[in-house]
């Protein structure tokens, strides 16, 4: 591809289901392309996620797109994720447009009209990226065959049709039924959509691929479309995706191999699985440390043997407080603090550890008592704080990012980033601080001392390098197990002419 072209090539990575592997496949293709010397950018028109990131220009985007930008070795921008939906309940979400919140909408309100209004801005962002990069690898959302949502779709076939993008559909064979998923996804699309569906990618395959090949041949006979790769199941990738605790448990925490500790003891970290948990990826850097064992918990008895309890970020601080109290976790946290046992609150978790919350914005609950573990009062502002702060704590340089409506007034304690520390209780609005290697080691030494553990942080764990290794593994999966020649032709030339229609088509 020539860097001088006026409009770069493109590809849409769709999925048969949510969590089929679209995010990691998109990242893998980005890493493979950039290793070929191709200037590439990721794109997702609309993302629903509580895991977000702040770009250098102060825009909030999905963490999956920030991760994909890292895979592409480019700086993430709002262009790469123009619409971000942050659920606040089962029925409503905050709408973030070009990195800034523009209001709350119900699902009916969004799909009933607002989504259509966003189509042109989304398409304009994609076209701006295509004018700058040799290739743009787009990620779909859910399934392109959601026939009830096709009329207002701005992230799957809607954007593919408007931009004439070829589509590769990813299916998770580990769940079973992947042939039916590929066939059914294609057969439920309108003829104009089907002509862009150029092939399939099987994800998370275990075993002898030759046993799968007869099925792939039959799928080709049924649909006229080749399977462009069979990606093997890869353990412990720990890559940021979009939604829910299940991703983190299956990624960094559950599948990672816990290396033996450098010292005599391990450190046990319990993360309170609060409702609407956001940016739980904050604990990934802890899970990457040899001898640190991370688990998510929802019962007070699970805190008893923990050396550190983390109260993570949440999109609903008041709701999380009520949940902590209902579960008995609030009382357990208060007991820990009284005993001098370590607790870390991050963002919404920091707010919950304070004395009082005034919230007329997020929950509209008015004045609510916090847990009283830190001398902090929180007032929710309508304007969201989006920042990339740099500072120092425990004698080490720290970088982080902030995403919050709550404004903290700190009335005591020792300064700790923008928050404070009282005894073994720490609180800060900064996400991502534990990715700073020197600070993480210093913090873990403090935790070990307070817990009486003979734990020694590894002197050479570099979280940024581990992330790069993980992204290279994704690039290797594409290079070694996908038909990269076919993918490159699709990116450069678009979907081939004459792809057959698979009946019945869209109803």
């Amino acid at each position: 591809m020539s860097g001088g072209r006026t409009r770069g090539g493109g590809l849409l990575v769709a999925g048969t289901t949510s969590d089929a592997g679209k995010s990691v496949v998109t990242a893998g293709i980005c890493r493979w392309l950039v290793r070929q010397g191709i200037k590439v950018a990721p794109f997702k028109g609309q993302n629903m996620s509580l895991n977000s990131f702040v770009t250098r220009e102060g825009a909030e985007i999905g963490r999956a797109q920030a991760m994909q930008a890292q895979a592409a070795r480019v700086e993430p921008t709002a262009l790469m994720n123009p619409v971000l939906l942050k659920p606040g309940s089962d029925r409503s979400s905050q709408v973030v447009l070009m990195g800034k919140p523009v209001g709350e909408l119900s699902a009916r309100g969004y799909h009933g009209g607002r989504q259509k209004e966003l189509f042109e801005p989304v398409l304009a962002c994609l076209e701006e990226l295509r004018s700058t990069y040799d290739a743009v690898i787009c990620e779909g959302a859910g399934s392109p065959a959601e026939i009830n949502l096709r009329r207002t779709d701005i992230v799957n076939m809607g954007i593919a049709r408007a931009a004439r993008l070829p589509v590769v559909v990813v299916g998770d064979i580990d769940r079973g039924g992947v042939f039916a998923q590929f066939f059914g996804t294609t057969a439920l699309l309108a003829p104009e959509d089907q002509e862009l569906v150029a092939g399939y990618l099987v994800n998370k395959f275990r075993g002898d691929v030759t046993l799968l090949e007869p099925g792939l041949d039959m799928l080709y006979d049924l649909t006229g479309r080749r399977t462009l790769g069979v990606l093997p199941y890869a353990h412990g990738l720990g890559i940021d995706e979009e939604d829910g605790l299940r991703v983190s448990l299956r990624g960094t925490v559950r599948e990672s191999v816990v290396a033996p500790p450098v010292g005599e003891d391990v450190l046990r970290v319990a993360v309170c699985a609060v409702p609407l948990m956001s940016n739980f990826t904050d604990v990934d850097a802890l899970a990457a440390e040899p001898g640190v064992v991370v688990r998510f918990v929802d019962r007070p008895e699970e805190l008893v043997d923990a050396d550190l309890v983390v109260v993570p970020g949440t999109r609903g601080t008041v709701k999380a407080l009520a949940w902590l109290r209902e579960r008995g976790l609030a009382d357990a946290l208060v007991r820990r603090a009284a005993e001098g046992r370590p607790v870390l609150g991050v963002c919404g978790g920091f707010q919950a550890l304070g004395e009082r919350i005034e919230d007329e914005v997020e929950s509209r609950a008015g004045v609510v008592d916090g847990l009283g573990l830190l001398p902090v009062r929180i007032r929710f502002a309508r304007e969201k704080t989006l920042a990339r702060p740099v500072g120092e704590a425990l004698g080490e340089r720290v970088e982080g990012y902030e995403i919050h409506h709550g404004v903290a007034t700190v009335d005591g304690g020792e300064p700790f980033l923008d928050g404070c520390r009282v005894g073994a209780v720490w609180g800060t609005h900064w996400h991502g601080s534990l990715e700073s290697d020197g600070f993480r080691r210093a913090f873990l030494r403090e935790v070990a001392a307070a817990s009486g553990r003979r734990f020694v942080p590894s002197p050479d764990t570099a979280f940024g390098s581990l992330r790069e290794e993980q992204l290279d593994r994704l690039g290797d999966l594409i290079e070694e197990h996908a038909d990269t020649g076919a993918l490159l032709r699709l990116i450069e030339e678009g979907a081939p002419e004459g792809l057959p229609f698979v009946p019945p088509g869209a109803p």
Side-chain angles (χ1 to χ4, degrees):
M1 290 185 183
S2 168
R5 65 190 297 171
T6 58
R7 190 169 187 263
L11 177 72
L12 176 70
V13 179
T16 57
T17 62
S18 295
D19 201 25
K22 298 183 295 292
S23 295
V24 293
V25 167
T26 299
I29 294 174
C30 285
R31 178 49 60 101
W32 166 69
L33 285 171
V34 77
R35 293 196 307 209
Q36 312 310 305
I38 295 170
K39 187 180 178 185
V40 58
F43 177 80
K44 184 162 186 173
Q46 171 198 296
N47 194 348
M48 177 174 279
S49 179
L50 286 170
N51 279 335
S52 57
F53 181 77
V54 179
T55 67
R56 294 208 179 275
E57 73 267 32
E60 184 180 8
I61 65 172
R63 274 200 68 100
Q65 279 60 66
M67 173 271 293
Q68 290 160 357
Q70 185 179 352
R73 296 179 180 145
V74 296
E75 190 67 34
T77 74
L79 291 172
M80 298 171 184
N81 180 205
V83 179
L84 174 64
L85 305 179
K86 301 193 74 175
S89 70
D90 290 340
R91 296 190 175 184
S92 68
S93 295
Q94 182 181 66
V95 181
V96 179
L97 176 63
M98 292 304 295
K100 305 296 181 184
V102 294
E104 297 272 341
L105 273 181
S106 68
R108 181 177 293 276
Y110 183 72
H111 290 287
R114 187 62 192 273
Q115 192 176 30
K116 283 184 179 179
E117 299 172 13
L118 297 174
F119 183 74
E120 289 303 322
V122 165
L123 187 59
C125 289
L126 173 58
E127 292 306 309
E128 185 170 343
L129 288 174
R130 293 183 76 182
S131 71
T132 307
Y133 291 88
D134 295 334
V136 179
I137 307 303
C138 307
E139 180 188 345
S143 162
E146 306 288 0
I147 53 179
N148 56 316
L149 303 178
R150 176 63 184 90
R151 181 176 56 86
T152 56
D153 169 44
I154 65 172
V155 66
N156 289 307
M157 301 312 300
I159 201 76
R161 286 246 312 255
R164 302 306 299 170
L165 293 172
V167 178
V168 173
V169 181
V170 178
D172 180 356
I173 197 170
D174 198 50
R175 295 180 172 186
V178 75
F179 293 118
Q181 292 171 26
F182 285 143
F183 181 86
T185 297
T186 309
L188 278 176
L189 298 177
E192 297 84 358
D193 289 345
Q194 285 195 26
E195 67 184 27
L196 295 173
V197 176
Y200 310 113
L201 270 173
V202 174
N203 192 28
K204 299 181 184 177
F205 179 74
R206 307 173 193 248
D208 184 350
V209 73
T210 61
L211 299 177
L212 189 66
E213 288 170 352
L216 302 180
D217 292 339
M218 287 185 274
L219 182 66
Y220 174 74
D221 292 339
L222 288 166
T223 67
R225 290 155 175 88
R226 296 283 182 195
T227 298
L228 304 180
V230 178
L231 308 182
Y233 197 107
H235 289 273
L237 288 173
I239 291 294
D240 298 346
E241 294 193 58
E242 291 176 359
D243 306 309
L245 173 61
R246 69 186 191 277
V247 175
S248 189
L249 284 175
R250 193 167 53 249
T252 298
V253 177
R254 183 177 293 171
E255 290 186 354
S256 62
V257 177
V258 179
V262 176
E264 297 179 44
D265 289 343
V266 299
L267 276 186
R268 296 171 177 83
V269 178
V271 184
C272 296
V274 296
L276 299 174
M277 183 166 42
S278 60
N279 289 68
F280 49 81
T281 46
D282 283 332
V283 300
D284 284 355
L286 295 179
E289 279 286 344
V292 176
V293 182
V294 178
R295 65 183 188 272
F296 288 84
V297 303
D298 60 4
R299 296 190 301 271
E301 55 267 29
E302 294 178 292
L303 306 189
V304 174
D305 68 343
D307 301 303
L308 169 67
V309 175
V310 178
V311 187
T314 172
R315 174 84 165 84
T317 301
V318 171
K319 182 180 289 188
L321 262 172
W323 182 87
L324 289 169
R325 287 179 167 126
E326 290 164 3
R327 295 283 179 129
L329 287 160
D331 290 340
L333 288 168
V334 171
R335 286 194 298 272
R336 283 187 68 90
E339 295 165 359
R341 303 179 66 201
V343 177
L344 171 65
V346 179
C347 200
F350 165 45
Q351 296 166 6
L353 298 182
E355 296 172 347
R356 188 181 70 184
I357 296 169
E358 298 176 30
D359 183 9
E360 299 293 348
V361 175
E362 192 174 77
S363 67
R364 298 180 177 87
V367 177
V368 178
D369 288 335
L371 299 184
L373 304 186
L374 292 173
V376 176
R377 289 174 288 113
I378 301 293
R379 179 185 55 82
F380 273 68
R382 297 198 178 277
E383 189 74 16
K384 181 184 281 191
T385 297
L386 297 169
R388 291 275 292 269
V390 177
E392 184 176 301
L394 305 180
E396 298 286 347
R397 186 176 186 273
V398 188
E399 295 183 24
Y401 58 99
E402 295 183 68
I403 307 170
H404 54 92
H405 284 280
V407 178
T409 300
V410 179
D411 295 323
E414 301 174 42
F416 177 69
L417 303 177
D418 73 333
C420 67
R421 170 188 182 179
V422 174
V425 180
W426 294 266
T428 177
H429 272 133
W430 291 21
H431 294 289
S433 63
L434 293 166
E435 295 180 19
S436 297
D437 296 326
F439 167 70
R440 183 179 64 254
R441 293 178 195 126
F443 177 72
L444 290 175
R445 282 193 289 269
E446 294 258 350
V447 169
S451 302
R453 295 287 186 187
R454 293 186 296 275
F455 171 85
V456 178
S458 170
D460 56 3
T461 299
F463 187 73
S465 297
L466 290 174
R467 274 291 166 88
E468 279 297 304
E469 290 173 12
Q470 291 166 330
L471 293 170
D472 275 331
R473 287 180 63 194
L474 293 181
D476 293 343
L477 285 174
I478 296 299
E479 185 170 349
E480 296 168 10
H481 300 282
D483 185 342
T484 53
L487 289 175
L488 196 56
R489 283 192 297 275
L490 290 176
I491 292 167
E492 291 183 316
E493 302 170 11
E497 298 288 336
L499 290 168
F501 172 68
V502 180

